[in-house]
Amino acid sequence: MNRTILCSSVLLLSCAPEANDEPEIIHLEAREQLIRLSVDLRGIHPTETELKAIETHPELYDDFVDRYLEDYRLPERVRQIFNRKFLTRTNDNYGFSHPDYSDGEIGRSIGEEPLRLISYIFENDLPYSEIVTADYTMANPVLAKIWNLDYPEGESDWRPARYQDSRPHAGILSMSSVWSRYPSMGGNANRHRANALSKMLLCNDYLSRPVVLSRAAVDQLTIDPEDAINTNSSCQSCHSSLDPLAAHFYGFFPVNEEEMMELYWPEREENWRMYAEKEPAYFGTMTGNITELGQLMGEDTRIVDCAVKTVMEGLQQREITDWDWTEYHTHRDAFIGADLSLRYLIRSIVTSDTYKIATSNNKEIMDHIPSVKVVNPYQLSAIMADITGFQWNFGGIDALTNNGTGIPVLLGGIDSTNVSERNYLPSVGLVFTQERLAQAAGWDVAVHDLDPNRTADARMLKFVSPQDTPDSNPEAFDYQIRELFLRVRGIPLADDATEPQELMKLWKQLHSVEASPTKAWAGVLSAVLRDPAIITY
């Protein structure tokens, strides 16, 4: 075990050494570091070639970081990280329809609009502030048709596009998807929307603030809510900044339920005068429209702070608190120094000492930093597909990531509606689903690889034939089983490991039932694919 003594500035708050008892930080081994990096950035395990390279030359870690930062799978991981804040992947079509597309296609497309802007910013290395200053939205052919967007003719993927209903463009501030996800009408006066925006981009939830109301204030609220909000000091502690922020969104404000499916009314931008009577402003600075709001937000250091916290929490699977002050500011400085480049922010995080920690004898450190991470539904689906070539589809849709199936929540993920916080601990639902997934994938691989008429390369069973048995060819069985574990774990079995012999016994027991090599190997494969290394890293 490569053991490293660490008490760097990253961990100064918790690393103050006691007399003759300096805390010891144990870093992940080289292979483990690369597995963690690959799963976090690409959603899959590294190849054995990559693992051998890092094992031989650990100094190549930063080179792998740079390579993975250019990987085509990373933009999807960025979308997953930011959906934890935006919560737009609900699969809800919000009543929109089109004869060319199913409700599911429309719902999935609507949920992607703000997330595609994030990944577009990432892929083109634009400043993160573009999230509220972009003079365009992102669309695919589905959104282009249902919302009549100015979308590039002949394109079929996600591309910059523009609304044609006279709305000002300001990144996600002007997206129909965002205000469909966070509706408001009547006495709410866009406050729901203002708080949603504050949570997404400023990491500030007005509803989490402690507010103490006297009995008289409660009575006042029941009689005349707006008067109470405008005159009571407890109410004003939130509403003095919330209501001016909410006043920007009356162009998206329906006045009755029949209008909920409409998009934008430019003539209603001044309707704040009829409701909360708070002029549009951003924390004391008056604004004229959403575009000016976006410009102010893009210059606000709080949007930077929230982006750093969002990415750190998404990659480190933990809540960032005051305990992380030193490390947080290290990444924040790197982010600002790189002109708000998300790519550079991610690089700063995954090359830090904290990111590579395996364990520590310092309890305070281990209370804050997880030594083992748990895959999310997207990662589990991608890892299993990469290893086995199998994807668990229901009606052509990935069962592990489609919120309509309910499986993402069972796996500890979120559905962006009823469940908005991930579970970072292995659960019964996760292990149960892994078992069923392993059985389905194991059978699929066995049928494919042992097919006598197969023309494609074997996926996993590359060193045995249907005619081989543990008795006739024990060397091939031993080698094959070791290779299966290597592919799943990324770490070779020890020479004296008992797994090969145990799984040969399992193969014999299964084969004795129907004399079917396919079913016997399916059982072995399903056992290997239930290894904890599939769901943890």
Side-chain angles (χ1 to χ4, degrees):
M1 179 72 75
N2 176 24
R3 305 166 81 86
T4 305
I5 305 297
L6 173 67
C7 194
S8 70
S9 60
V10 175
L11 296 169
L12 282 177
L13 294 181
S14 60
C15 254
E18 299 177 3
N20 301 318
D21 187 25
E22 186 175 34
E24 183 179 59
I25 302 296
I26 302 176
H27 281 152
L28 296 168
E29 297 286 356
R31 278 179 173 258
E32 296 168 326
Q33 287 184 23
L34 194 61
I35 292 170
R36 175 171 291 184
L37 178 71
S38 183
V39 174
D40 273 337
L41 298 192
R42 306 189 302 168
I44 62 169
H45 289 176
T47 65
E48 179 58 17
T49 300
E50 291 173 321
L51 289 166
K52 283 182 177 178
I54 197 73
E55 185 175 40
T56 305
H57 299 286
E59 69 276 7
L60 291 177
Y61 180 83
D62 284 3
D63 293 333
F64 276 107
V65 170
D66 292 333
R67 181 189 303 179
Y68 290 172
L69 284 172
E70 301 296 329
D71 193 279
Y72 72 93
R73 286 162 286 219
L74 180 51
E76 166 55 28
R77 286 288 297 125
V78 172
R79 292 192 287 272
Q80 292 166 25
I81 289 170
F82 276 89
N83 187 57
R84 293 178 58 254
K85 283 291 184 192
F86 294 178
L87 300 176
T88 57
R89 282 182 166 172
T90 64
N91 275 24
D92 195 336
N93 70 332
Y94 304 106
F96 293 103
S97 63
H98 193 280
D100 292 345
Y101 303 106
S102 68
D103 289 348
E105 289 175 305
I106 293 173
R108 288 189 293 276
S109 295
I110 290 175
E112 287 294 295
E113 185 184 16
L115 302 175
R116 291 289 171 164
L117 178 56
I118 280 287
S119 57
Y120 182 81
I121 290 169
F122 169 80
E123 290 177 86
N124 292 278
D125 210 20
L126 301 172
Y128 176 73
S129 55
E130 189 94 351
I131 191 66
V132 289
T133 62
D135 64 346
Y136 54 88
T137 187
M138 297 297 294
N140 63 355
V142 179
L143 294 189
K145 283 193 176 183
I146 67 170
W147 289 339
N148 188 31
L149 301 177
D150 181 14
Y151 177 81
E153 187 175 352
E155 293 290 349
S156 59
D157 203 351
W158 287 91
R159 296 286 185 268
R162 287 175 174 80
Y163 291 93
Q164 302 185 82
D165 54 9
S166 301
R167 74 181 66 188
H169 281 79
I172 71 170
L173 305 181
S174 52
M175 288 183 177
S176 291
S177 59
V178 173
W179 304 132
S180 296
R181 170 64 180 87
Y182 298 103
S184 181
M185 63 182 298
N188 180 256
N190 282 320
R191 289 164 178 141
H192 179 215
R193 289 171 165 172
N195 190 46
L197 184 65
S198 181
K199 288 194 296 182
M200 287 190 290
L201 297 180
L202 306 179
C203 294
N204 170 43
D205 184 359
Y206 282 89
L207 296 179
S208 69
R209 296 184 181 184
V211 177
V212 178
L213 294 174
S214 65
R215 179 64 197 180
V218 173
D219 291 341
Q220 186 182 15
L221 281 167
T222 61
I223 298 171
D224 190 338
E226 289 301 328
D227 181 64
I229 288 171
N230 290 328
T231 60
N232 186 277
S233 59
S234 294
C235 295
Q236 278 295 294
S237 65
C238 291
H239 284 272
S240 60
S241 58
L242 179 68
D243 290 354
L245 184 58
H248 292 90
F249 307 119
Y250 281 95
F252 301 93
F253 194 70
V255 297
N256 55 60
E257 292 185 2
E258 287 71 26
E259 289 186 343
M260 289 298 287
M261 292 306 105
E262 297 297 327
L263 300 176
Y264 182 74
W265 301 267
E267 69 276 9
R268 295 182 185 173
E269 290 180 355
E270 296 289 318
N271 278 14
W272 53 268
R273 301 177 188 277
M274 301 166 51
Y275 290 89
E277 297 182 8
K278 294 290 179 66
E279 191 170 353
Y282 184 68
F283 293 96
T285 301
M286 308 305 288
T287 56
N289 51 43
I290 291 177
T291 302
E292 291 184 14
L293 171 64
Q295 291 168 351
L296 285 175
M297 291 192 73
E299 297 169 357
D300 191 342
T301 58
R302 285 171 294 185
I303 201 172
V304 174
D305 297 339
C306 188
V308 174
K309 182 178 180 181
T310 298
V311 178
M312 284 183 67
E313 290 181 344
L315 289 174
Q316 298 186 11
Q317 294 194 358
R318 62 191 180 93
E319 182 182 3
I320 302 303
T321 66
D322 290 344
W323 185 88
D324 301 285
W325 188 90
T326 303
E327 182 192 2
Y328 165 81
H329 277 276
T330 297
H331 301 320
R332 184 183 185 276
D333 291 345
F335 189 38
I336 294 173
D339 296 325
L340 304 188
S341 165
L342 285 173
R343 190 181 305 274
Y344 204 85
L345 172 59
I346 292 171
R347 192 183 196 282
S348 178
I349 294 169
V350 300
T351 55
S352 67
D353 286 320
T354 305
Y355 181 80
K356 303 172 186 177
I357 288 177
T359 188
S360 169
N361 63 12
N362 184 306
K363 183 179 182 300
E364 186 177 4
I365 293 175
M366 295 315 299
D367 284 344
H368 287 86
I369 299 176
S371 57
V372 177
K373 296 184 180 182
V374 177
V375 296
N376 70 23
Y378 292 90
Q379 291 168 322
L380 177 57
S381 177
I383 288 169
M384 191 66 79
D386 184 62
I387 291 174
T388 69
F390 175 79
Q391 187 176 57
W392 202 0
N393 288 332
F394 291 174
I397 304 297
D398 187 351
L400 300 186
T401 61
N402 184 355
N403 287 327
T405 67
I407 293 178
V409 171
L410 190 64
L411 292 172
I414 64 176
D415 63 10
S416 299
T417 305
N418 299 308
V419 180
S420 58
E421 295 288 340
R422 263 204 68 193
N423 178 14
Y424 292 125
L425 297 175
S427 63
V428 173
L430 175 59
V431 175
F432 174 77
T433 304
Q434 182 193 9
E435 177 184 8
R436 293 293 181 261
L437 179 61
Q439 291 169 348
W443 174 253
D444 189 71
V445 170
V447 169
H448 175 273
D449 288 358
L450 299 179
D451 182 354
N453 299 316
R454 172 174 56 83
T455 55
D457 292 339
R459 299 176 191 166
M460 299 185 75
L461 300 177
K462 301 178 180 181
F463 306 104
V464 291
S465 71
Q467 291 73 40
D468 290 327
T469 70
D471 295 326
S472 68
N473 199 348
E475 294 83 5
F477 264 71
D478 181 88
Y479 190 81
Q480 178 64 80
I481 292 171
R482 289 178 179 274
E483 284 296 307
L484 294 178
F485 276 105
L486 180 61
R487 185 70 183 94
V488 166
R489 294 180 178 177
I491 299 172
L493 290 176
D495 291 341
D496 60 351
T498 61
E499 285 89 343
Q501 289 301 319
E502 291 170 351
L503 289 184
M504 285 188 210
K505 291 180 182 178
L506 174 63
W507 191 97
K508 289 181 179 180
Q509 292 169 347
L510 294 173
H511 189 264
S512 68
V513 178
E514 296 183 25
S516 169
T518 299
K519 291 183 178 180
W521 273 114
V524 170
L525 284 164
S526 68
V528 175
L529 293 171
R530 290 179 62 188
D531 193 282
I534 292 285
I535 59 173
T536 60
Y537 63 103

